[in-house]
Amino acid sequence: MQGRRLPLRVATLLTGLLECLGFAGVLFGWASLVFVFKTEHYFEELCEPNARLMGNATGLDDCKAQDERFSLIFTLASFMNNFMTFPTGYIFDRFKTTVARLIAIFLYTSATLTIAFTSADSAVLLFLAMPMLTVGGILFLITNLQIGNLFGKQRSTIITMYNGAFDSSSSVFLIIKLLYEQGISLRASFIFISVCSAWHVGRTFLLMPRGHIPYPLPPNYSYGLCSGDGPGEEEKKTVESQKLELSEEFISPKKVSTYTNAFAITQFFGVLCAPWNGLLMDRLKYKYQEEARKTEHFGKLFGLVMALSAVVSLLQFPIFTLIKGPLQNDPFCVNVMLALVTLLTFVHPFLVYRECWQKESTPGVA
């Protein structure tokens, strides 16, 4: 019986990975898409006349207001990506997988169609489309993370692999940019992405549970094509990293395009690096598994963490303005400050280690 279910589970795993890799976190390839938008003259009316004549893809001071408009869209969308994870996590916990995924598909398709049919004259619609796109994407990620529960000892590896795919999906906008440079219109690319919603719907009903995938997995558990979802409690939290928008220098549009490509390619390697964290977790012993299975609220915990990080993401726009203004395009001080703040994250594993050590030292204390 277990062997007969394995092909279905592998299909769920692979298609979920493809979904995260191709759709979930495309927002973070924003720098590539901005290059296309500038070529299509989005928000060009904010540039000074002489900058319009020279071409606004070079990031000249005369197009500073245009750059800030794009930065504001990204800041708003990345804030919604994190902040809305808490309510969407609640929706996932309360109404389960099918409802959460149908909401995700509606938001995502609406966003891609909106982007497909915008133009320079209706560029303001990006303020609506990008947040919808990112909220739909994070719901795709949340509903797919539970797939790790199907594979027992490899659970953490799969979860981190999905988070890596979420990061690497930023390369989708790089692909759109490269296709655009080969003559494929922005509209055609986003219409194609919209048509892929039929695939999302099919996967929702054929390869995903109607409810939640429990952990630990009960005997004879079936879902999707096999029907008969089993209700269960959800699991652990995984935290994914956010990225700042690529700042453009005073260089030629040729070089801007090259650096944008390099940035997007670097982001792609998230899918290769992230699974190592999960592999390490899978190799360790879970000493508090019995307690965890009684109290897990995965969607709400994951959403709360992301909502808190959304507050921090709001700093992106003032930091961008600071670099473009008082710092005169010199990000050195900001980079030093961010490096110091990043070092503070090492405090967390130390606190976790101390907590576990204290519990081991006093086994009689609940």
Side-chain angles (χ1 to χ4, degrees):
M1 184 66 72
Q2 190 76 4
R4 274 183 283 173
R5 294 196 184 100
L6 184 60
L8 176 66
R9 294 181 182 180
V10 171
T12 301
L13 170 66
L14 295 179
T15 56
L17 183 64
L18 180 60
E19 189 170 78
C20 290
L21 186 61
F23 303 91
V26 294
L27 168 69
F28 302 107
W30 178 244
S32 298
L33 202 59
V34 165
F35 188 87
V36 178
F37 285 146
K38 285 186 174 184
T39 306
E40 290 287 310
H41 311 295
Y42 282 51
F43 301 118
E44 192 177 77
E45 67 277 4
L46 299 175
C47 294
E48 296 297 328
N50 62 327
R52 297 185 201 176
L53 293 175
M54 295 176 65
N56 63 356
T58 56
L60 295 170
D61 269 345
D62 291 332
C63 282
K64 176 182 174 182
Q66 183 195 35
D67 290 334
E68 290 181 346
R69 185 64 57 87
F70 284 121
S71 178
L72 185 58
I73 293 173
F74 176 77
T75 300
L76 175 63
S78 58
F79 170 78
M80 294 296 289
N81 176 75
N82 293 339
F83 183 78
M84 289 300 293
T85 308
F86 181 67
T88 53
Y90 174 81
I91 290 173
F92 173 64
D93 285 342
R94 176 69 178 83
F95 300 103
K96 303 185 170 60
T97 302
T98 299
V99 173
R101 286 185 59 81
L102 291 177
I103 293 174
I105 294 168
F106 171 76
L107 291 173
Y108 206 92
T109 308
S110 299
T112 53
L113 286 174
T114 300
I115 297 172
F117 291 99
T118 55
S119 63
D121 295 331
S122 56
V124 69
L125 290 176
L126 295 178
F127 280 97
L128 174 65
M130 294 311 299
M132 292 174 64
L133 186 75
T134 194
V135 173
I138 199 67
L139 260 175
F140 282 145
L141 175 64
I142 290 175
T143 56
N144 278 308
L145 288 178
Q146 61 179 327
I147 293 173
N149 296 348
L150 294 172
F151 295 90
K153 294 180 180 180
Q154 289 76 41
R155 177 176 173 271
S156 296
T157 304
I158 291 170
I159 288 175
T160 49
M161 182 168 62
Y162 277 154
N163 275 278
F166 176 84
D167 292 338
S168 297
S169 64
S170 59
S171 60
V172 170
F173 282 171
L174 169 63
I175 295 172
I176 290 176
K177 172 182 175 292
L178 296 176
L179 290 175
Y180 179 83
E181 292 173 337
Q182 297 301 314
I184 306 298
S185 69
L186 188 68
R187 176 170 296 182
S189 294
F190 275 95
I191 287 178
F192 174 78
I193 295 176
S194 302
V195 171
C196 289
S197 294
W199 180 74
H200 296 311
V201 172
R203 185 170 179 272
T204 297
F205 291 104
L206 299 178
L207 293 176
M208 293 294 286
R210 291 192 295 272
H212 294 146
I213 300 176
Y215 183 81
L217 206 65
N220 302 321
Y221 174 74
S222 60
Y223 68 95
L225 288 172
C226 297
S227 186
D229 298 336
E233 291 301 317
E234 299 324 303
E235 279 308 295
K236 301 244 176 190
K237 52 194 179 292
T238 52
V239 182
E240 50 84 20
S241 304
Q242 291 299 96
K243 304 169 186 70
L244 293 173
E245 182 187 27
L246 180 64
S247 298
E248 293 177 341
E249 301 288 340
F250 290 87
I251 52 179
S252 67
K254 187 178 173 209
K255 286 193 175 181
V256 171
S257 177
T258 301
Y259 288 143
T260 301
N261 293 351
F263 175 66
I265 291 171
T266 301
Q267 289 177 303
F268 173 77
F269 283 93
V271 72
L272 302 178
C273 299
W276 289 105
N277 299 316
L279 183 62
L280 179 61
M281 292 177 65
D282 284 329
R283 299 284 293 183
L284 300 176
K285 294 181 180 179
Y286 292 110
K287 298 185 178 180
Y288 309 105
Q289 213 171 53
E290 195 65 37
E291 179 183 349
R293 72 181 64 174
K294 299 175 184 176
T295 57
E296 276 304 336
H297 299 275
F298 171 76
K300 290 184 281 294
L301 286 174
F302 186 80
L304 180 60
V305 171
M306 297 299 290
L308 291 175
S309 67
V311 177
V312 179
S313 73
L314 287 176
L315 295 174
Q316 292 174 105
F317 184 67
I319 288 175
F320 176 84
T321 304
L322 177 67
I323 293 174
K324 287 291 185 179
L327 296 181
Q328 298 180 345
N329 288 295
D330 183 5
F332 178 76
C333 293
V334 172
N335 289 338
V336 171
M337 178 187 68
L338 292 175
L340 293 176
V341 172
T342 301
L343 289 176
L344 291 177
T345 61
F346 286 98
V347 174
H348 179 255
F350 171 75
L351 293 176
V352 172
Y353 172 79
R354 188 181 68 173
E355 179 71 15
C356 293
W357 184 82
Q358 288 176 347
K359 287 187 176 183
E360 289 177 354
S361 301
T362 56
V365 179

